Amino acid sequence: MWLSGTLAAKIWAFFYLLSGCPPLTNIFDTQIALSYLTGQLQMGYQQALADQLDMHIDKEHSQSDWLQRPLTDEQEQYAIDDVRYLPALYLSIEHALKAQGLYDYVWADCQLYASDLYDTQHVEDEAMYLTMADYRYNSQQMAILKGVATWREELARATNQPRTFVIKNKQYERLSLKSQTACESWHIKQPCTVVCCDYMAKSC
C-alpha cells in the first residue's frame, strides 16, 4: 500500500479506528522515503512528483469545500490525481533507495510508523492524557491535562470527528499549563471549551 504525507496518517488513523484490524505491515510512506533521499522531512506530493517524475499536478482545489455534495468535476479530478501517480512514484523512489542501500531501513521505518499510529488509536480513555504528559507537570497541571483529555475524547466521539479537530495538540498542551481562571477566560475566544473548564474544575 502506497501512501503519502500527513493525510496518509489521518487515513491510517480512521482505518484503524473503524476496521478493528491489527497493525498494517505492508505500508510504504513516500514522505518517509523521500526524507531519506533528500533530507527534507515534509516534502509534499506535488514537489515529490515534480522531482521524481518531472510531472506537475494542480493543487488549487486542496482548500476547496470538500463537504459539499455533489463534488465538482474539478474536485473529482483532483482526488483522482492525488493518488493515481503513487505507483509510479513508488517505483521511482524504490529504485533510488535500493541504489543507495537504504530501502530496508525505509521499509522498517514505515512499518514502525504504522504500528505507532495503531497504538495511538488504541490507548484506553483513562490513559489518554498520559500520552500528552510532560515530566515537568505538577499535580494540578496533570489534573487539568486529564480533564482536557476526557472532554476532548467525549466531544470527538459525540460529534464524530478527529480529536485534533476539537482541540489541536498544541492547544491541548497550552491549556494544561493554564490555571483554572485563565482557562475560563480563554473560553471566551473558544466558546466550546466551557465544558472543558467544568471538567478541569472537577478534576482540580
Side-chain angles (χ1 to χ4, degrees):
M1 184 184 296
W2 308 290
L3 294 171
S4 179
T6 304
L7 179 59
K10 294 178 180 178
I11 292 172
W12 294 359
F14 278 119
F15 175 82
Y16 284 143
L17 185 64
L18 298 175
S19 69
C21 289
L24 299 175
T25 58
N26 62 341
I27 293 298
F28 186 91
D29 189 306
T30 59
Q31 195 170 75
I32 292 175
L34 287 166
S35 70
Y36 274 79
L37 292 174
T38 68
Q40 186 173 335
L41 297 180
Q42 296 292 328
M43 182 180 291
Y45 186 54
Q46 185 180 44
Q47 184 181 346
L49 291 180
D51 291 354
Q52 295 294 315
L53 302 177
D54 194 25
M55 181 180 297
H56 175 75
I57 60 169
D58 189 358
K59 301 290 285 185
E60 175 186 353
H61 296 286
S62 62
Q63 301 302 316
S64 61
D65 183 4
W66 288 91
L67 296 178
Q68 69 173 356
R69 292 294 184 274
L71 297 176
T72 65
D73 291 342
E74 291 78 10
Q75 285 177 310
E76 290 183 358
Q77 187 60 51
Y78 171 87
I80 293 170
D81 288 343
D82 213 32
V83 296
R84 69 188 300 185
Y85 304 114
L86 279 175
L89 180 61
Y90 166 76
L91 291 174
S92 174
I93 295 172
E94 179 191 35
H95 177 77
L97 290 171
K98 288 183 175 179
Q100 298 183 40
L102 295 173
Y103 184 84
D104 289 343
Y105 299 105
V106 171
W107 183 259
D109 264 3
C110 289
Q111 308 325 304
L112 179 61
Y113 186 36
S115 179
D116 286 346
L117 286 171
Y118 175 87
D119 291 340
T120 299
Q121 292 300 316
H122 291 79
V123 177
E124 295 294 332
D125 289 355
E126 55 270 22
M128 182 63 67
Y129 77 104
L130 295 175
T131 66
M132 302 292 292
D134 188 293
Y135 73 93
R136 293 167 295 185
Y137 289 176
N138 59 35
S139 59
Q140 183 180 28
Q141 289 167 337
M142 288 295 289
I144 291 174
L145 190 68
K146 186 174 183 179
V148 175
T150 302
W151 169 78
R152 184 173 76 162
E153 190 68 19
E154 291 188 2
L155 185 56
R157 291 180 179 177
T159 56
N160 193 29
Q161 59 182 324
R163 300 180 187 105
T164 54
F165 283 21
V166 178
I167 294 183
K168 295 189 181 300
N169 288 344
K170 288 297 182 182
Q171 292 176 308
Y172 192 105
E173 294 168 4
R174 286 198 296 268
L175 268 175
S176 68
L177 298 176
K178 291 178 179 287
S179 66
Q180 171 68 16
T181 301
C183 285
E184 289 170 347
S185 299
W186 187 79
H187 94 264
I188 295 173
K189 295 182 179 180
Q190 306 287 339
C192 65
T193 61
V194 64
V195 181
C196 174
C197 292
D198 290 341
Y199 264 115
M200 289 186 286
K202 294 174 183 176
S203 299
C204 295

